[in-house]
Amino acid sequence: MRTAVHDRGGVAAIEFGIMIPLLSLMVVSVTDIGLALYRKMQVENAAQAGAQYAIVRGFDETGVTSAVTAATNSTAINASPKPYQFCGCPTSSGVSTVSCGAVCPGGAQAGTYAMVSAQGTYYTLINYQIVAATYTYSAQSTARLQ
């Protein structure tokens, strides 16, 4: 009995057994964060792909929507809200909407723009109880066509 009290054999195995769930949770959590960031980048790239389509081929709602969904292999990404075309003037804070044919404050004609939006949902790998189980990412891209 005295030797059993001072015996240290198997202590490493017991410590490993205690630590492996914590280490596994850490690995899954880091992977989950990486996948969530990747989904966010996919949504941003899909919105940019739709705007690039409108620049190259002209504004076509169906074509732009197809470009957004085809930009990634994820079925969780879509063009929402629908892409639209508008006339506007560039300002320091973005593009202000004006009627087509209007003259901008700088004296130039109002340009034609396309606004493309993409939206995607990410579902976490496990339910962490302290954070949401789903995240919805959205991105917009505005491009001048003329």
Side-chain angles (χ1 to χ4, degrees):
M1 189 65 111
R2 289 181 188 205
T3 59
V5 172
H6 297 293
D7 188 14
R8 297 200 187 261
V11 172
I14 293 171
E15 288 176 353
F16 182 73
I18 293 170
M19 292 301 293
I20 197 69
L22 180 62
L23 294 174
S24 298
L25 180 62
M26 288 171 51
V27 168
V28 169
S29 299
V30 169
T31 303
D32 218 358
I33 291 169
L35 290 172
L37 289 174
Y38 179 64
R39 176 58 49 87
K40 184 176 188 247
M41 288 188 298
Q42 285 179 316
V43 169
E44 291 169 351
N45 289 339
Q48 290 175 357
Q52 289 172 351
Y53 179 92
I55 291 169
V56 173
R57 296 198 171 117
F59 184 81
D60 168 31
E61 184 179 319
T62 305
V64 171
T65 301
S66 296
V68 169
T69 56
T72 178
N73 59 359
S74 174
T75 58
I77 296 175
N78 55 36
S80 176
K82 298 186 316 185
Y84 64 93
Q85 184 175 352
F86 65 97
C87 293
C89 293
T91 64
S92 60
S93 61
V95 179
S96 64
T97 304
V98 297
S99 55
C100 294
V103 177
C104 296
Q109 282 290 114
T112 304
Y113 292 84
M115 173 74 77
V116 180
S117 299
Q119 187 173 19
T121 304
Y122 177 73
Y123 301 92
T124 58
L125 297 175
I126 60 175
N127 188 355
Y128 296 102
Q129 301 293 324
I130 58 173
V131 295
T134 61
Y135 292 92
T136 301
Y137 297 111
S138 58
Q140 287 185 336
S141 187
T142 305
R144 183 172 178 150
L145 306 179
Q146 303 178 12

